[in-house]
Amino acid sequence: MSSDWPHDPDGDEGSEGMRKYDMAIIAKKVDEEEDFPLERDEFVAEYGDDPIRVNYQRVVSLSDIFEYVDQAEFETITDMHKAVGAAMREGDFWEYHPKGANPEKKRA
Protein backbone atom coordinates (compact mmCIF):
# COMPACT_ATOMS: atom_id res chain seq x y z
CA MET A 1 0.00 0.00 0.00
CA SER A 2 1.20 3.45 -0.77
CA SER A 3 3.00 5.22 2.04
CA ASP A 4 1.52 8.50 0.77
CA TRP A 5 -1.80 7.91 2.56
CA PRO A 6 -2.29 9.26 6.09
CA HIS A 7 -3.41 5.76 7.09
CA ASP A 8 -3.87 2.29 5.57
CA PRO A 9 -7.19 2.28 3.68
CA ASP A 10 -7.74 -1.36 4.69
CA GLY A 11 -6.69 -0.94 8.32
CA ASP A 12 -8.64 -0.02 11.43
CA GLU A 13 -8.74 3.71 10.72
CA GLY A 14 -9.59 3.27 7.04
CA SER A 15 -12.21 0.57 7.22
CA GLU A 16 -12.39 -0.87 10.73
CA GLY A 17 -9.93 -3.70 10.09
CA MET A 18 -11.87 -5.14 7.17
CA ARG A 19 -11.86 -4.08 3.54
CA LYS A 20 -14.77 -1.72 2.94
CA TYR A 21 -15.46 0.40 -0.08
CA ASP A 22 -16.41 3.94 -1.14
CA MET A 23 -19.76 4.97 0.34
CA ALA A 24 -19.37 2.79 3.44
CA ILE A 25 -16.08 4.52 4.30
CA ILE A 26 -17.40 8.02 3.59
CA ALA A 27 -20.56 7.45 5.65
CA LYS A 28 -18.49 6.41 8.70
CA LYS A 29 -16.95 9.89 8.76
CA VAL A 30 -20.24 11.59 9.68
CA ASP A 31 -22.75 11.37 12.52
CA GLU A 32 -26.25 11.42 11.10
CA GLU A 33 -27.64 13.09 14.21
CA GLU A 34 -24.98 15.74 14.90
CA ASP A 35 -23.23 16.63 11.63
CA PHE A 36 -26.14 17.77 9.47
CA PRO A 37 -26.58 20.12 7.81
CA LEU A 38 -23.03 19.49 6.58
CA GLU A 39 -20.86 21.89 4.60
CA ARG A 40 -19.07 20.13 1.72
CA ASP A 41 -15.94 22.32 1.91
CA GLU A 42 -15.51 21.85 5.67
CA PHE A 43 -15.92 18.09 5.28
CA VAL A 44 -13.33 17.97 2.50
CA ALA A 45 -10.95 20.20 4.49
CA GLU A 46 -11.07 17.70 7.36
CA TYR A 47 -11.07 14.41 5.43
CA GLY A 48 -9.87 15.27 1.91
CA ASP A 49 -6.55 13.40 2.16
CA ASP A 50 -8.15 10.23 3.53
CA PRO A 51 -7.92 7.19 1.24
CA ILE A 52 -11.16 5.76 -0.14
CA ARG A 53 -11.01 2.30 -1.70
CA VAL A 54 -13.35 2.31 -4.72
CA ASN A 55 -12.68 -1.26 -5.85
CA TYR A 56 -10.34 -4.14 -5.13
CA GLN A 57 -7.50 -2.43 -7.04
CA ARG A 58 -8.06 1.32 -6.77
CA VAL A 59 -7.72 3.77 -3.89
CA VAL A 60 -8.36 7.51 -4.31
CA SER A 61 -8.51 10.41 -1.91
CA LEU A 62 -11.84 11.67 -0.62
CA SER A 63 -11.06 15.02 -2.23
CA ASP A 64 -10.74 13.31 -5.64
CA ILE A 65 -14.34 12.11 -5.33
CA PHE A 66 -15.64 15.41 -3.94
CA GLU A 67 -14.23 17.31 -6.94
CA TYR A 68 -17.37 16.04 -8.70
CA VAL A 69 -19.81 17.03 -5.92
CA ASP A 70 -21.54 20.27 -6.91
CA GLN A 71 -23.78 20.62 -3.86
CA ALA A 72 -22.27 22.96 -1.26
CA GLU A 73 -24.35 21.76 1.71
CA PHE A 74 -26.17 18.56 2.63
CA GLU A 75 -29.32 18.79 4.77
CA THR A 76 -29.36 15.03 5.53
CA ILE A 77 -27.12 12.01 5.15
CA THR A 78 -29.43 10.85 2.35
CA ASP A 79 -28.72 14.09 0.46
CA MET A 80 -25.02 13.45 0.92
CA HIS A 81 -25.31 9.84 -0.31
CA LYS A 82 -27.15 10.94 -3.43
CA ALA A 83 -24.62 13.66 -4.24
CA VAL A 84 -21.62 11.41 -3.61
CA GLY A 85 -23.15 8.58 -5.65
CA ALA A 86 -23.75 10.93 -8.58
CA ALA A 87 -20.20 12.27 -8.22
CA MET A 88 -18.71 8.79 -8.21
CA ARG A 89 -20.58 7.92 -11.40
CA GLU A 90 -19.64 11.23 -13.05
CA GLY A 91 -15.98 10.88 -12.05
CA ASP A 92 -15.89 7.28 -13.31
CA PHE A 93 -15.02 5.89 -9.88
CA TRP A 94 -17.63 3.13 -10.18
CA GLU A 95 -17.18 0.55 -12.91
CA TYR A 96 -20.60 -1.06 -12.52
CA HIS A 97 -23.46 0.84 -14.11
CA PRO A 98 -26.62 -1.27 -14.51
CA LYS A 99 -28.49 -0.66 -17.76
CA GLY A 100 -31.39 -2.65 -19.17
CA ALA A 101 -32.38 -6.21 -18.29
CA ASN A 102 -28.86 -7.68 -18.54
CA PRO A 103 -26.33 -5.21 -17.16
CA GLU A 104 -22.68 -6.01 -17.68
CA LYS A 105 -21.41 -7.04 -14.26
CA LYS A 106 -17.97 -6.10 -13.09
CA ARG A 107 -16.25 -6.81 -9.77
CA ALA A 108 -16.49 -4.10 -7.17
Side-chain angles (χ1 to χ4, degrees), residues 88-106:
M88 292 188 76
R89 286 186 288 279
E90 182 182 343
D92 204 26
F93 295 105
W94 281 340
E95 294 180 3
Y96 176 69
H97 301 279
K99 296 176 184 171
N102 281 322
E104 179 184 350
K105 294 186 178 185
K106 295 183 181 181

Side-chain angles (χ1 to χ4, degrees), residues 26-88:
I26 295 169
K28 291 284 187 185
K29 298 181 182 303
V30 296
D31 182 306
E32 189 171 357
E33 301 291 322
E34 296 179 14
D35 291 340
F36 292 90
L38 179 73
E39 295 288 330
R40 178 199 60 216
D41 293 344
E42 290 177 16
F43 183 70
V44 173
E46 185 170 351
Y47 299 108
D49 291 335
D50 284 7
I52 306 296
R53 180 171 292 287
V54 294
N55 62 36
Y56 73 103
Q57 294 178 318
R58 187 174 175 201
V59 178
V60 300
S61 69
L62 183 135
S63 61
D64 288 343
I65 295 169
F66 273 74
E67 283 182 30
Y68 296 91
V69 175
D70 295 327
Q71 196 169 330
E73 183 177 88
F74 312 108
E75 289 299 318
T76 67
I77 195 167
T78 302
D79 294 336
M80 181 179 171
H81 281 303
K82 289 178 181 178
V84 171
M88 292 188 76

